[in-house]
C-alpha cells in the first residue's frame, strides 16, 4: 500500500536525521524553536506513532495519553530503537476498525469516542510527522547545520507534486 511506503519513508528520514545529529545537538535548545530541542520534536512525533501502535492492539487510540518519555528525547539511540520498532509495526499493519478517544475540555479529563480505522490513523500520523519535520528542519538549520536534509524533508506530498507541476509548466 502506498500509504505504508509513505510512512516508512518518513520514518527513514527521521532515522537518518537521528543518525547524523551529534548527541549534544540532539538535546541542544533551539532559539528558533522556543528553546525546545530536536530530540523533543522527535519524541513528540514518535509518541503519536507509539499511541497508535498501543491503541491498535487495544482497539482504542488516545493521543492525549502520551508517556512524554524523556529517554527518547535525550538519547538518540533510544529514539532510533523506537523508530525501528515503529517501522516494523507499520510494515505489518493491517486494516482494522478502531475507536479514537479525544478530549478538548481543559477543565476535566473527559473523552469523546469516535470511530476510525487503522488506515485513517496512519494518515493522521503521516500528516502529524510531516508537520513536525518541517519544524525540526528549522531547528536543525540552527543547532546542527552540518546535517544535509533531503529537500523534501518536512514537505507534504501535495506540495512536492505542486512544485513539480509548476516547474514543468514554467
Amino acid at each position: 500500500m502506498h500509504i505504508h511506503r509513505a510512512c516508512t519513508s518518513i520514518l527513514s528520514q527521521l532515522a537518518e536525521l537521528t543518525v547524523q545529529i551529534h548527541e549534544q545537538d540532539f538535546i541542544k535548545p533551539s532559539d528558533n524553536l522556543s528553546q525546545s530541542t530536536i530530540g523533543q520534536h522527535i519524541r513528540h512525533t514518535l509518541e503519536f506513532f507509539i499511541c497508535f501502535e498501543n491503541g491498535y492492539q487495544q482497539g482504542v487510540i488516545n493521543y492525549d495519553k502520551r508517556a512524554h518519555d524523556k529517554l527518547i528525547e535525550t538519547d538518540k539511540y533510544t529514539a532510533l530503537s523506537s523508530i525501528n520498532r515503529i517501522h516494523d509495526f507499520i510494515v505489518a499493519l493491517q486494516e482494522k476498525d478502531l475507536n479514537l478517544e479525544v478530549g478538548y475540555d481543559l477543565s476535566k479529563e473527559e473523552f469523546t469516542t469516535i470511530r476510525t480505522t487503522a488506515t485513517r490513523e496512519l494518515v493522521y500520523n503521516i500528516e502529524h510527522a510531516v508537520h513536525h519535520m518541517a519544524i525540526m528542519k528549522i531547528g536543525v538549520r540552527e543547532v546542527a547545520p552540518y546535517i544535509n536534509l533531503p529537500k523534501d524533508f518536512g514537505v507534504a506530498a501535495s506540495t512536492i507534486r505542486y512544485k513539480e507541476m509548476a516547474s514543468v509548466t514554467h
Side-chain angles (χ1 to χ4, degrees), residues 17 24 29 54 57 79 94 100 105 108 122 133 136 158 160 164 167:
L17 165 59
Q24 68 271 18
N54 293 339
Q57 305 304 329
Q94 299 291 313
L100 173 66
D105 188 335
K108 58 184 175 239
L122 180 59
M133 290 165 71
M136 283 179 227
S158 61
I160 295 167
E164 287 174 357
S167 70

Side-chain angles (χ1 to χ4, degrees), residues 30 39 67 103 119 143 150 157 164 169:
S30 165
T119 300
V143 302
E164 287 174 357
T169 60

Side-chain angles (χ1 to χ4, degrees), residues 92-111:
L93 186 66
Q94 299 291 313
E95 183 58 273
K96 178 179 175 178
D97 288 334
L98 299 164
N99 288 311
L100 173 66
E101 289 181 340
V102 296
Y104 297 107
D105 188 335
L106 299 179
S107 65
K108 58 184 175 239
E109 191 170 306
E110 185 175 289
F111 299 105

Side-chain angles (χ1 to χ4, degrees), residues 7 16 23-24 32 36 40 42 45 67 75-76 85-86 102-104 106-107 112-113 130 140 150 154 157-159 164:
C7 189
E16 184 59 30
E23 291 179 59
Q24 68 271 18
N32 290 325
S36 65
Q40 287 172 322
I42 288 178
T45 302
D75 179 3
K76 74 179 215 166
R85 193 191 73 253
I86 293 164
V102 296
Y104 297 107
L106 299 179
S107 65
T112 300
T113 301
V130 169
V140 165
S158 61
T159 302
E164 287 174 357

Side-chain angles (χ1 to χ4, degrees), residues 21-81:
I21 195 166
H22 300 156
E23 291 179 59
Q24 68 271 18
D25 296 332
F26 190 72
I27 59 171
K28 184 177 182 179
S30 165
D31 291 336
N32 290 325
L33 302 182
S34 301
Q35 299 305 305
S36 65
T37 68
I38 302 302
Q40 287 172 322
H41 279 276
I42 288 178
R43 187 255 320 141
H44 176 81
T45 302
L46 297 179
E47 282 193 333
F48 272 64
F49 281 106
I50 292 167
C51 286
F52 175 33
E53 180 182 12
N54 293 339
Y56 179 86
Q57 305 304 329
Q58 301 163 2
V60 179
I61 300 167
N62 186 322
Y63 297 110
D64 291 343
K65 295 182 178 178
R66 297 185 307 280
H68 297 88
D69 187 333
K70 293 287 186 206
L71 201 51
I72 293 173
E73 75 181 48
T74 58
D75 179 3
K76 74 179 215 166
Y77 300 103
T78 300
L80 276 170
S81 177

